[in-house]
Structure formats: C-alpha cells, structure tokens
Amino acid sequence: MASLAPPPPGTLAADARREALDAAIGGHQLRGDALVEVLHAAQQAYGWLPPEVLAHVARALRLPPSRVQGTASFYHLFRLTPPARHVCTVCTGTACHVRRSQAIVAALARATGLAPGEAAPDGSLAIARVRCVGACGIAPVVLYDGAVAGRQNAPAVIARLAGWRTP
C-alpha cells in the first residue's frame, strides 16, 4: 500500500491544481517576466497563495523567492491567507456613501468584531469594503459572497450574516 505521507515542506503535491499551475508556467515558457500572470493562475488553482506555491513558482521561473513573495504581497488582488468561507463586501462609493453605507460598515464592525479587510479567526467570515460596484441605482449595495444586494441597511445585513458565523 502506498504511503500517504505529506510531501516535504516547500514542495507541492502532484494533483490537478499543480498540473493547472505547471501548465500555466509552461504556457508562459518559464519566463520570469510572466510572474504576475503565473501568480494569478496559481491563485485560481489554489484559491490563495500558500508558501509552498510561492516556492514552486520561484523554482519554476528561476526567480529569487523574495521577488515572488514581494510581488505577491504588493498586489492587493493576491491572497496570502486562505479565503474565508463567506465574504460580506460593502460598497462605499459615492452613491452608497450618501445612502449611509458607512453606517453598515460600523454596524458590521460592532456586530462581528471585524473591520473591513479582516476575517474571523475560524475562517467563517470576512468583511471587505470596495469603492464602487457600479450598481449606484440600488445603493447602498452589499455583496454576499459576490451576489449583489441593493437597498441594504445595517439590521438586514447583520441578520443575513448571522447564519454565516461558525458557532
């Protein structure tokens, strides 16, 4: 029977995610100047950029690990921590701001103990804030796991998130 021991630290298990990542790396012909595109492919495959994925990318593209880490940490679209199971995103663009989206943000912070950009330690919920989702006609707008909901208010948002938190 084959051993199910985990791979050594810093290496990736051979699975469909790694195959997708290696295909992306090969598609860019192992060019270091394709680092951002490769990191996007890695995040798409893994959902975030764990240290062993960054190490694999660095080795494959023959780049210093510090450059890969620096690039991944510089761009806000890359996640260096596992994503939360649920994300509540509040729009704070002009129309939403005028319609009191800041009150929603403040109420969420009080109710969950999380500020925008933070996630619950158990990974059940993250709170985010964006500048505009382009749905100004239904402001204030809140995205629940990416699904747009308009004309929101603090009590409705808090009630909707109640089931998302792990007891």
Side-chain angles (χ1 to χ4, degrees):
M1 184 168 175
S3 170
L4 297 177
T11 62
L12 290 178
D15 61 12
R17 298 175 303 176
R18 180 170 160 195
E19 288 177 18
L21 175 55
D22 288 343
I25 291 168
H28 289 289
Q29 301 160 348
L30 306 174
R31 292 185 0 251
D33 62 351
L35 176 58
V36 171
E37 291 88 350
V38 169
L39 289 174
H40 278 294
Q43 184 164 282
Q44 184 174 359
Y46 288 88
W48 66 295
L49 298 173
E52 58 273 10
V53 168
L54 296 176
H56 181 76
V57 168
R59 281 190 303 273
L61 296 179
R62 296 184 190 102
L63 293 172
S66 60
R67 178 166 172 210
V68 175
Q69 175 70 36
T71 301
S73 64
F74 177 79
Y75 292 104
H76 75 278
L77 292 176
F78 293 127
R79 289 187 299 273
L80 299 176
T81 58
R85 287 186 299 279
H86 298 287
V87 179
C88 178
T89 306
V90 180
C91 179
T92 58
T94 302
C96 290
H97 178 76
V98 168
R99 299 236 170 127
R100 304 199 21 88
S101 64
Q102 289 302 93
I104 295 171
V105 171
L108 280 173
R110 285 190 305 275
T112 66
L114 303 172
E118 293 181 342
D122 65 2
S124 63
L125 174 66
I127 304 297
R129 176 175 41 202
V130 294
R131 288 321 243 157
C132 185
V133 297
C136 303
I138 58 171
V141 174
V142 175
L143 285 77
Y144 300 97
D145 286 340
V148 176
R151 297 183 178 87
Q152 297 294 290
N153 59 55
V157 174
I158 292 166
R160 183 144 180 197
L161 298 189
W164 284 4
R165 295 298 298 265
T166 302

